[in-house]
């Protein structure tokens, strides 16, 4: 009897903790690009969040502005739940963002065709399925016959920057003549 009472009390305790879960809600106060948000915590701390497992086109890339606009329309000014506390090399929090109505922002962006599943960081079969459906339906960036994944776009841009630096470094350097040298040359003529 004592064991049953204990188990019943334990069950009620666990249930009450689960029901009274006071999740922290953040307000979306900025959208930097399709997969990067700025959230404001209840104590007015600004947090930059990189949406995990997805990669949107860069702003300067085809559909980059459209991805940013879609993300903004979806969640700007709304209260959201943040899941995840890892940080990337830029100091951004990496995580999943969910609207109060339960819509997962990360998944919705892929579902509507404004992001790739970032396979280097995700093996999520649901995201893969959402991306495949968006491809087949020609949604968002999948309207393009051969869209360039953002990781390839960034790599190409970096290669071009390096090549430009190398080319600039190889230019012959002309030494300017001093005033005395210029005057001497002018006098000799």
């Amino acid at each position: 009897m004592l064991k049953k009472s204990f188990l019943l009390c334990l069950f009620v305790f666990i249930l009450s903790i689960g029901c009274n879960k006071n999740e922290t809600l953040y307000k979306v106060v900025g959208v930097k690009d399709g997969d990067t948000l700025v959230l404001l915590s209840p104590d007015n701390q600004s947090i930059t969040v990189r949406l995990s497992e997805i990669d949107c086109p860069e702003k300067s890339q085809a559909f980059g502005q459209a991805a940013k606009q879609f993300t903004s329309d979806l969640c700007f000014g709304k209260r959201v739940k943040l899941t995840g506390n890892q940080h990337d090399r830029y100091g951004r929090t990496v995580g999943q963002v969910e609207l109060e109505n339960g819509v997962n922002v990360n998944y919705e962006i892929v579902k509507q065709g404004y992001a790739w599943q970032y396979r280097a960081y995700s093996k999520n079969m649901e995201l893969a399925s959402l991306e495949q459906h968006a491809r087949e339906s020609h949604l968002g960036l999948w309207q393009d016959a051969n869209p360039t994944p953002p990781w390839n776009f960034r790599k190409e841009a970096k290669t071009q920057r390096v090549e430009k630096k190398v080319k600039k470094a190889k230019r012959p350097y002309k030494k300017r003549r001093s005033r005395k040298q210029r005057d001497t040359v002018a006098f000799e003529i």
Side-chain angles (χ1 to χ4, degrees):
M1 182 72 175
L2 184 63
K3 188 175 181 181
K4 284 183 181 180
S5 297
F6 175 75
L7 289 176
L8 181 62
C9 288
L10 183 62
F11 176 74
V12 170
F13 176 73
I14 291 172
L15 187 63
S16 68
I17 289 174
C19 291
N20 292 330
K21 201 181 206 182
N22 192 6
E23 295 176 341
T24 302
L25 293 177
Y26 300 83
K27 184 173 183 179
V28 179
V29 294
V31 177
K32 292 187 174 190
D33 58 29
D35 53 31
T36 307
L37 307 174
V38 179
L39 306 182
L40 190 63
S41 70
D43 60 347
N44 291 323
Q45 298 296 310
S46 178
I47 303 167
T48 301
V49 177
R50 170 69 168 80
L51 300 176
S52 63
E53 300 184 271
I54 71 169
D55 203 3
C56 288
E58 296 297 317
K59 286 188 284 188
S60 60
Q61 187 179 357
F63 289 94
Q65 290 298 329
K68 178 181 178 181
Q69 187 62 54
F70 177 81
T71 302
S72 181
D73 292 345
L74 180 63
C75 60
F76 183 77
K78 296 183 180 167
R79 291 167 37 103
V80 297
K81 176 182 152 188
L82 172 64
T83 306
N85 60 1
Q86 293 182 343
H87 291 84
D88 66 9
R89 62 182 172 188
Y90 305 107
R92 302 176 296 189
T93 300
V94 178
Q96 298 274 330
V97 171
E98 188 178 300
L99 299 175
E100 279 186 293
N101 65 5
V103 171
N104 183 307
V105 173
N106 306 47
Y107 286 27
E108 192 66 22
I109 294 169
V110 172
K111 181 180 176 181
Q112 297 303 321
Y114 290 103
W116 279 260
Q117 175 189 17
Y118 206 167
R119 287 186 181 85
Y121 299 99
S122 171
K123 303 299 179 215
N124 185 316
M125 293 308 294
E126 185 177 355
L127 267 177
S129 176
L130 291 171
E131 180 184 315
Q132 186 60 37
H133 182 265
R135 283 177 186 249
E136 291 168 357
S137 302
H138 302 286
L139 298 175
L141 64 90
W142 303 111
Q143 296 170 43
D144 191 338
N146 191 20
T148 302
W151 50 89
N152 289 346
F153 182 83
R154 290 187 293 268
K155 185 177 179 180
E156 201 173 290
K158 183 178 180 180
T159 301
Q160 288 175 356
R161 285 191 307 270
V162 169
E163 287 173 356
K164 190 175 180 180
K165 278 184 179 180
V166 168
K167 190 176 181 180
K168 187 176 180 180
K170 286 184 178 180
R171 272 195 270 158
Y173 175 72
K174 288 187 175 182
K175 186 176 178 184
R176 282 192 65 169
R177 295 180 181 180
S178 70
R179 176 176 227 128
K180 186 176 180 180
Q181 289 172 329
R182 285 187 302 231
D183 289 344
T184 305
V185 171
F187 184 71
E188 290 174 358
I189 295 179

